[in-house]
Amino acid sequence: ISCVAAADDDGDLEVGFGDTGTCRTPPPLVDAGNGTIVDADKGLMWERLDDANGLHDKDAPYAWAEAGDVKIAQLNAATFAGHADWRLPTIMELQSLVRPGASPTVAAEMNTGCMPGCSACSCTQPEFHWSSTLVSQDPALAWSLFFGAGTSSTLDREGFALSVRAVRSLP
C-alpha cells in the first residue's frame, strides 16, 4: 500500500505520530469461529454479541454490578470459548473498537450479519456499553462508551443498565 499523508490530516490513512510517509491500516479483528473476535495486535479476545436472546444477546442490559456479578460470572462458569478469565473491558480497550469518522463507529468485524434471531452473527448496539474503569474522583461513576457516536462518558453505576461486551487478555 502506498500512502501520502497531508500535512495536518491523514484522514483514512491513519498515519501514526512519527510515521511520516508511511501508511498504517488498523490490524484486522478476526472472528475465531468460537463466539469470539480476536485482536492479536492488542492482545485481546472479545465476546461476540448476537441477537439470539441468550447470554450473548446484544440487547441484554446490565447494571454495572450485574455486569460482573452476573454476565461475566456466567461466562467464566461456563468456560466460554474454553476460558474462565473473562472480564469487563477498560474504557481504553472499548475505545480500541471505535473507528473515528466511520459510520457505524464500531469496527466492522464487531457488527456483521446482525439480524433478529441470529446466533452466528456479530452485533453491536449503537448504545452505551459499560467499562470497568471507575472515575477516580467519584467511584460511584464508571466510564462507558457510546457506540452510536464513538464517544465516552461517565455514568452512575447504579442508575443505568447498559450493554456489556466481555473481553479477556491473550497469553
Side-chain angles (χ1 to χ4, degrees):
I1 297 174
S2 172
C3 300
V4 178
D8 295 325
D9 181 12
D10 65 351
D12 291 339
L13 301 178
E14 295 188 26
V15 174
F17 179 77
D19 291 333
T20 307
T22 62
C23 179
R24 184 181 87 67
T25 56
L29 298 170
V30 177
D31 188 325
N34 62 353
T36 68
I37 298 173
V38 174
D39 183 342
D41 183 56
K42 293 187 179 46
L44 299 173
M45 178 181 281
W46 292 94
E47 169 195 21
R48 189 177 66 203
L49 297 178
D50 59 31
D51 197 17
N53 298 319
L55 179 60
H56 308 290
D57 193 83
K58 68 176 177 51
D59 297 315
Y62 295 87
W64 190 85
E66 290 175 333
D69 294 346
V70 176
K71 171 144 184 181
I72 302 297
Q74 288 178 353
L75 290 172
N76 287 327
T79 58
F80 170 60
H83 303 283
D85 57 351
W86 294 96
R87 59 182 171 77
L88 217 65
T90 67
I91 192 62
M92 297 293 286
E93 289 168 337
L94 272 179
Q95 288 170 335
S96 75
L97 299 177
V98 171
R99 299 299 180 246
S103 180
T105 61
V106 68
E109 296 84 357
M110 303 304 269
N111 202 38
T112 61
C114 192
M115 298 170 36
C118 71
S119 61
C121 55
S122 179
C123 306
T124 300
Q125 283 285 68
E127 304 290 337
F128 280 101
H129 286 63
W130 283 124
S131 84
S132 63
T133 309
L134 301 180
V135 175
S136 59
Q137 300 86 348
D138 186 354
L141 303 175
W143 283 96
S144 61
L145 188 84
F146 180 59
F147 278 110
T151 57
S152 54
S153 181
T154 58
L155 294 173
D156 182 337
R157 293 189 302 149
E158 294 189 22
F160 295 91
L162 306 180
S163 295
V164 172
R165 183 184 299 273
V167 69
R168 62 177 294 276
S169 298
L170 295 174

